Amino acid sequence: MDLPLLIYALFSGILFIFLFLLMLELVMDLFFKKVPYVRSENKVLKNVLEIITPEKNQIVYDLGSGDGKFLRALTKKYPHIKATGFEKSFLPYFISKIIPNKKYIIKYK
């Protein structure tokens, strides 16, 4: 068997398993968890950011942080804070890890 073909077959198999597990997690989230993933609207996010004024080095926790949209906006407006998000669903957590940002941490619980 040719080496590039073997590498392609191995990569395809790993990709298939990864996508299958990702879809399985999505289906499990939809049918077995009580709180669905709903992305924050921009106008709501804007209103919240106008209301809060965190102090320097204050720690902000976001329970159910989803894809990290709120934490990204918060650390962009207030770079002096420390932000940590917690997410229970794998898919939004995975999305938050794809979008690079070193100013906040999201943990999968």
Side-chain angles (χ1 to χ4, degrees), residues 27-68:
V27 169
M28 297 296 279
D29 280 354
L30 288 173
F31 292 108
F32 296 108
K33 294 195 177 169
K34 297 183 189 230
V35 180
Y37 168 64
V38 179
R39 191 173 165 125
S40 301
E41 293 182 23
N42 289 335
K43 66 179 185 175
V44 173
L45 189 60
K46 182 181 170 188
N47 289 339
V48 171
L49 290 176
E50 288 175 1
I51 294 171
I52 61 172
T53 54
E55 298 175 6
K56 188 173 184 174
N57 292 325
Q58 184 173 358
I59 300 174
V60 177
Y61 293 103
D62 184 11
L63 303 178
S65 59
D67 63 0

Side-chain angles (χ1 to χ4, degrees), residues 4-103:
L5 186 61
L6 182 63
I7 292 172
Y8 176 75
L10 184 62
F11 177 74
S12 297
I14 291 171
L15 182 63
F16 175 78
I17 292 171
F18 174 75
L19 291 175
F20 174 77
L21 292 175
L22 198 60
M23 288 296 115
L24 182 64
E25 174 66 26
L26 180 62
V27 169
M28 297 296 279
D29 280 354
L30 288 173
F31 292 108
F32 296 108
K33 294 195 177 169
K34 297 183 189 230
V35 180
Y37 168 64
V38 179
R39 191 173 165 125
S40 301
E41 293 182 23
N42 289 335
K43 66 179 185 175
V44 173
L45 189 60
K46 182 181 170 188
N47 289 339
V48 171
L49 290 176
E50 288 175 1
I51 294 171
I52 61 172
T53 54
E55 298 175 6
K56 188 173 184 174
N57 292 325
Q58 184 173 358
I59 300 174
V60 177
Y61 293 103
D62 184 11
L63 303 178
S65 59
D67 63 0
K69 182 178 179 180
F70 174 70
L71 294 178
R72 278 192 302 280
L74 188 67
T75 54
K76 184 177 181 181
K77 185 172 181 179
Y78 302 105
H80 57 273
I81 66 164
K82 296 176 183 176
T84 302
F86 296 93
E87 181 54 50
K88 195 171 182 179
S89 296
F90 179 74
L91 189 59
Y93 168 76
F94 181 73
I95 293 169
S96 73
K97 290 299 181 182
I98 291 174
I99 303 169
N101 193 334
K102 306 250 185 219
K103 295 182 180 179

